[in-house]
Amino acid sequence: MVEVAAIADKYQVEALPPLCLHLVRKALKPDVACEVFGLADRFHVAEMRAEALDCIFAKPAEALKERPALRPELLEEILGSGLLCTKTDALKKTVQSWGGKDCDSLASIINIPANNEYTDDVLDRLMGKWRDADRKGAFVGYWVAVIVGPGQDKYTADQLERVAGNQGKFSLRKGWMQWVLHHASVHLQGFWFSTTVPASTSFRINVKSDEDGATWHLAYESRGKEIEDYTFQTCSRPLGLVKHFKLEVLEGELPETHFDIEGILQTPI
């Protein structure tokens, strides 16, 4: 299906690539993720390549149980990414179990400098980590900072904490709200909203990455379409890990909703 999507895209058969990619996504599981990654790389299907790689990052114990039949540079890209949701020693043990003359050299490029975990709700997971740490430090301000733009509702301290940890819904008129992760970063995959966003509401999501903390990157724009509740929205990914999120309403109003950020959450070990 990846190959069919690539051929259809090449010959501009517009309806076929999205259908093929949808079918591949439904079938994408850790035990086939490396195969899909290799095919997507070979046929230059960038979106599917990224999604297969994310699947490997999220479930490395399953995806890398057996040595993948990948070109060396692709295998090195996976092992040296720093985004695999496992520990360095565990991954080295897995690589050593593959056998082969290059196992030692492959193990030497493994780089997992922080604690990685996949989550479909970054803010909620950070709230959970704060609770697990016996609520050390203020959650709002130390773990997550929330900046409410001009013209928005006034929030009490308790309300702001719920918004910071995605524990409660909020609405947003024309204007913006920002979330800043002071001690965490996200390998961004996409977003969810818990409420249907009407087509009359136009909004965008900008992010800042660790690679260039001075420049906002347009991750998502609604472009006047209705977004059904709990529908995953893929995004344009920045080069590096993300620490700043800015949700901005351009026209209309964002109805009361949760704002779910999906990706690999990276926190200090």
Side-chain angles (χ1 to χ4, degrees), residues 20-254:
C20 292
L21 294 178
H22 174 71
L23 293 174
V24 173
R25 284 191 190 99
K26 288 185 68 175
L28 183 59
K29 292 181 172 55
D31 59 341
V32 297
C34 286
E35 180 182 357
V36 173
F37 173 57
L39 287 170
D41 179 81
R42 178 183 174 189
F43 293 107
H44 308 290
V45 185
E47 187 176 343
M48 198 69 251
R49 185 188 194 278
E51 292 189 25
L53 194 55
D54 284 341
C55 186
I56 298 167
F57 289 159
K59 300 285 186 180
E62 299 169 53
L64 301 174
K65 186 176 181 180
E66 305 290 339
R67 179 171 182 145
L70 293 172
R71 300 198 315 273
E73 58 267 31
L74 295 183
L75 195 52
E76 290 172 9
E77 179 181 346
I78 293 169
L79 297 178
S81 66
L83 293 170
L84 290 156
C85 295
T86 186
K87 300 297 185 184
T88 297
D89 289 345
L91 185 56
K92 286 185 176 181
K93 186 175 180 180
T94 296
V95 171
Q96 294 288 353
S97 73
W98 294 345
K101 296 179 179 179
D102 61 346
C103 282
D104 287 340
S105 62
L106 287 173
S108 70
I109 66 172
I110 292 172
N111 173 34
I112 306 176
N115 182 52
N116 300 326
E117 60 178 299
Y118 162 78
T119 175
D120 60 5
D121 191 343
V122 164
L123 299 174
D124 175 75
R125 184 66 192 106
L126 285 172
M127 173 69 82
K129 284 180 171 290
W130 175 64
R131 289 170 175 161
D132 292 343
D134 296 326
R135 302 173 186 260
K136 291 181 180 177
F139 183 73
V140 179
Y142 183 79
W143 287 70
V144 178
V146 178
I147 306 169
V148 182
Q152 304 300 326
D153 292 334
K154 301 295 183 182
Y155 290 86
T156 66
D158 287 344
Q159 289 172 330
L160 205 60
E161 183 175 287
R162 287 197 291 273
V163 172
N166 205 27
Q167 305 299 295
K169 294 182 177 182
F170 67 94
S171 60
L172 194 63
R173 293 188 290 274
K174 190 173 181 179
W176 53 267
M177 185 179 291
Q178 287 186 43
W179 291 258
V180 182
L181 315 183
H182 288 303
H183 304 287
S185 300
V186 180
H187 170 69
L188 183 61
Q189 297 176 5
F191 307 95
W192 307 74
F193 293 94
S194 64
T195 302
T196 296
V197 181
S200 58
T201 297
S202 177
F203 71 92
R204 64 190 175 198
I205 302 170
N206 286 303
V207 299
K208 285 184 185 179
S209 74
D210 288 351
E211 295 288 327
D212 181 6
T215 304
W216 287 104
H217 170 90
L218 180 61
Y220 183 82
E221 191 166 15
S222 63
R223 300 183 184 277
K225 68 175 183 179
E226 180 180 278
I227 299 172
E228 294 184 6
D229 59 331
Y230 297 106
T231 303
F232 179 66
Q233 304 299 313
T234 58
C235 65
S236 170
R237 305 178 186 212
L239 291 175
L241 301 174
V242 175
K243 297 181 76 71
H244 300 252
F245 300 84
K246 183 178 183 180
L247 175 59
E248 182 177 10
V249 173
L250 306 173
E251 296 292 340
E253 182 174 352
L254 190 70

